[in-house]
Amino acid sequence: MIRPATPADVPVIHALVRELAEYEKALGEAVATEEQLREALFGERPAAYAHMAVDDVTGEPVGFALWFLNFSTWRGVHGIYLEDLYVRPEARGGGHGRALLEELARLCVERGYQRLEWSVLDWNEPAIGFYRALGALPQDEWTVFRLTDEALTELGTARRSGEPVA
């Protein structure tokens, strides 16, 4: 069963984010707090949305999808960017990951969005195989760039106030 997340789900979403980070060998980078997630998902101006995969028998959450809207200037409409998709190892193979993606695809179709996009680590062969089986195509001609930490701060503070932008 797939359902939209509620504020009561924030602790389990936080735990699932940390499990995903551990799986991706980057637990030290997962510094978001429950309060930050609560504000991002359920604050006055939500920045992201989440859906929960729930075990049909126990009713316990076994996975989640956290996503936000993006926009394509080429297509002129919104799309969904899937930030995180995670299903606990003991629940994998039960259709939860597919059901989460089906729900996001349904939202795209219903709302007129024309893209559902996400990134996957190059070494995550099980995920890559799963996505390919759904008909998703890798965008190999694009390379993701990211500014964080000191590099972001340095660039963001490089221009003095009042100077024209080059």
Side-chain angles (χ1 to χ4, degrees):
M1 178 177 83
I2 305 301
R3 62 169 175 76
T6 68
D9 291 314
V10 169
V12 74
I13 291 171
H14 184 257
L16 292 167
V17 166
R18 295 193 53 78
E19 288 177 32
L20 172 60
E22 186 171 19
Y23 174 76
E24 292 183 348
K25 301 170 182 65
L27 184 57
E29 295 178 40
V31 298
T33 66
E34 285 185 27
E35 192 51 45
Q36 287 174 311
L37 289 173
R38 185 179 324 284
E39 181 63 27
L41 294 168
F42 303 106
E44 186 176 321
R45 295 179 60 193
Y49 308 91
H51 281 77
M52 307 301 296
V54 179
D55 184 277
D56 291 335
V57 177
T58 66
E60 292 297 313
V62 295
F64 80 113
L66 193 142
W67 57 276
F68 55 87
L69 294 179
N70 59 15
F71 184 81
S72 169
T73 56
W74 289 15
R75 295 197 172 225
V77 297
H78 282 292
I80 286 178
Y81 185 83
L82 175 60
E83 179 66 20
D84 286 331
L85 174 72
Y86 181 73
V87 175
R88 287 186 161 143
E90 64 272 15
R92 291 183 189 151
H96 303 291
R98 180 182 178 95
L100 285 163
L101 286 169
E102 284 176 352
E103 177 61 14
L104 297 185
R106 185 192 66 75
L107 288 173
C108 286
V109 171
E110 179 181 279
R111 297 176 183 181
Y113 304 160
Q114 294 186 10
R115 290 183 178 167
L116 173 56
E117 297 179 309
W118 61 92
S119 297
V120 61
L121 291 166
D122 291 337
W123 58 259
N124 195 344
E125 289 298 329
I128 292 169
F130 170 65
Y131 298 142
R132 285 182 184 272
L134 295 174
L137 300 174
Q139 301 298 297
D140 295 333
E141 69 273 12
W142 293 89
T143 299
V144 175
F145 283 83
R146 178 178 295 155
L147 282 171
T148 61
D149 305 322
E150 295 84 22
L152 177 63
T153 300
E154 185 177 323
L155 185 62
T157 58
R159 190 170 67 87
R160 285 179 270 154
S161 179
E163 287 184 15
V165 176

